[in-house]
Amino acid sequence: MKFEFLDYKLGSIFGLTDDIKKEHHNFSLTSGTINFLWNRNKEVLEIKIDDIPVQLQPNQLVTTTYLQHVSYKNTNLPLTSFLFNREFYCISDHDSEVSCNGILFFGTQDLPIITIPKEQERKFNTLYEVFLDEFSTPDKIQGDMLQMLLKRLIIITTRLAKEQLVVKRLDNDQIDIIRKFNVLVDTHYKTKRKVNEYAELLFKSPKTLSNLFSIYNQKTPQQIILDRVALEAKRLIRFTDKQNQEIAYELGFNDPAHFSRFFKKTTNYSPSKYREMQEILA
C-alpha cells in the first residue's frame, strides 16, 4: 500500500506506506524527506540508521531526517512510514506550534525511539485510519487536511517523547533550552565549536547550559558539539566519495592534519583506518 500527495508547483510531498522497504523508491520525491517509521507488527524488526542496527519493538516508532542514512536491507517485516519534505510542512516554521525540533528532529542526542503506550494505541491507530480516509478523498483541500493530520501526529508523538526521553525534573523552559541548543548545534556545528557561542545565541551563560545538561545528559555541551562534528565526519567518510582533505575543509578544519587528530581522538581511528574498516564491512 502506497499513497502520496504531490504538489509539483511547490515541490512538496506527503506520503504514507505500510511497507517502506518495498515502496521507498516508488515515491515521486525520495530525497530531502523526514520520516516517521512505525512498527505496527507484533514482532521486533530491525533497520539501520547511519549503519547502526536499530531494533524497533512492536508499537515503537522512530523519526529520521534527510541528514541520516536509513537502510532497510535487514528489515524482514512491513514497516509503516509517514514521510514529508519541508515544502509540505516546515517544522522550523511551525516550531512554536508543535515544539518538536531538537526532540523528534535535528537533535544531537540518541535516536528518538518512542513507545506508544497500550492506552494510546487506539489514538494512533485511529489517526492512521483517518490518514487513509483522507487519501481516498482527493479534492482542493486535501493538502490542507493532510497537513492538519500531520501536525496532530507530530504533537502527540512529541508529547510522548518528552515523557519518555526527557528527565522528569526538567520544566518546560529548561526543555525548551535543551531542544533549541540541539537545533543550533545541528545548524552551526561546522562553524561554531565553543559552548559560549551557543550560550550567546540562547541568551544564557555557558555555566547555565553546563548545569542544565548535567541534569539532562551525561555529556557536556562541549562534548555534544564535538560528537556532532564526529558524526558528520563518519557519514561523509562512509556515504560519500570525498577524500579526507575535502571532508576536513567541509567541516570547518583549516588543516587536514588537525581534522585527522580530532577524528582519531573522538573515534580511536584515523580517518583512513575508519574508511578501510567501512569498506571491509560493506
Side-chain angles (χ1 to χ4, degrees):
M1 178 197 75
K2 167 186 161 289
F3 300 99
E4 74 172 29
F5 170 85
L6 186 69
D7 187 325
Y8 283 105
K9 290 182 179 179
L10 297 178
S12 68
I13 187 171
F14 176 78
L16 168 60
T17 176
D18 62 357
D19 193 343
I20 188 64
K21 178 179 181 178
K22 176 182 175 183
E23 301 289 356
H24 72 288
H25 289 306
N26 296 328
F27 286 98
S28 299
L29 298 173
T30 56
S31 62
T33 57
I34 291 171
N35 277 268
F36 281 83
L37 301 173
W38 176 11
N39 182 9
R40 302 181 71 237
N41 304 281
K42 296 186 182 300
E43 300 173 44
V44 179
L45 61 75
E46 180 180 299
I47 56 177
K48 277 191 174 182
I49 301 177
D50 289 332
D51 261 2
I52 299 173
V54 176
Q55 289 195 331
L56 285 182
Q57 300 293 324
N59 267 319
Q60 280 190 333
L61 55 83
V62 64
T63 54
T64 64
T65 75
Y66 45 80
L67 298 176
Q68 293 158 313
H69 296 264
V70 184
S71 170
Y72 307 106
K73 183 179 179 181
N74 297 328
T75 305
N76 56 4
L77 292 169
L79 176 61
T80 296
S81 173
F82 302 87
L83 63 89
F84 62 98
N85 62 4
R86 62 170 310 186
E87 286 78 12
F88 180 79
Y89 189 86
C90 181
I91 55 177
S92 296
D93 291 348
H94 294 87
D95 188 55
S96 61
E97 299 174 354
V98 295
S99 300
C100 62
N101 252 356
I103 295 180
L104 289 186
F105 310 109
F106 303 109
T108 58
Q109 310 304 310
D110 294 334
L111 281 169
I113 298 176
I114 296 104
T115 301
I116 301 173
K118 194 74 175 173
E119 65 272 16
Q120 294 202 34
E121 287 179 10
R122 185 183 63 82
K123 180 191 298 184
F124 277 82
N125 288 327
T126 299
L127 184 58
Y128 176 81
E129 295 298 327
V130 177
F131 270 112
L132 296 183
D133 184 61
E134 191 54 46
F135 272 113
S136 69
T137 315
D139 56 25
K140 291 183 178 180
I141 63 168
Q142 186 185 54
D144 294 330
M145 290 296 293
L146 289 170
Q147 280 186 351
M148 187 169 63
L149 292 172
L150 175 60
K151 178 179 173 181
R152 172 69 173 155
L153 175 63
I154 291 172
I155 289 173
I156 62 176
T157 306
T158 301
R159 286 174 178 167
L160 285 179
K162 287 181 177 179
E163 289 177 8
Q164 296 174 15
L165 307 178
V166 177
V167 177
K168 300 291 186 186
R169 284 178 288 162
L170 298 177
D171 60 35
N172 287 332
D173 289 341
Q174 292 172 318
I175 294 171
D176 209 42
I177 293 171
I178 287 169
R179 67 185 194 83
K180 286 179 178 178
F181 174 83
N182 288 342
V183 175
L184 286 172
V185 171
D186 223 38
T187 305
H188 299 293
Y189 66 90
K190 293 181 182 180
T191 56
K192 299 183 188 299
R193 301 280 169 82
K194 297 180 180 178
V195 175
N196 68 296
E197 294 176 291
Y198 292 96
E200 288 178 10
L201 293 173
L202 291 166
F203 303 103
K204 302 294 178 183
S205 70
K207 185 176 181 179
T208 296
L209 288 182
S210 295
N211 289 341
L212 186 54
F213 275 88
S214 69
I215 300 172
Y216 175 61
N217 196 306
Q218 292 181 342
K219 295 180 182 178
T220 64
Q222 185 64 63
Q223 189 60 52
I224 289 170
I225 297 166
L226 298 179
D227 283 353
R228 181 63 185 88
V229 179
L231 173 61
E232 194 64 22
K234 290 177 182 178
R235 286 174 176 166
L236 291 170
I237 292 172
R238 178 67 181 88
F239 299 107
T240 74
D241 294 326
K242 294 180 179 180
Q243 298 304 304
N244 295 342
Q245 184 174 352
E246 294 177 90
I247 294 171
Y249 291 136
E250 182 171 336
L251 294 179
F253 292 90
N254 295 323
D255 180 4
H258 181 200
F259 166 66
S260 294
R261 290 194 296 272
F262 164 82
F263 192 85
K264 187 166 186 178
K265 184 176 180 181
T266 54
T267 68
N268 293 323
Y269 300 102
S270 69
S272 298
K273 182 64 176 178
Y274 183 80
R275 189 185 302 275
E276 290 174 9
M277 290 171 55
Q278 300 309 307
E279 290 172 352
I280 291 172
L281 293 173

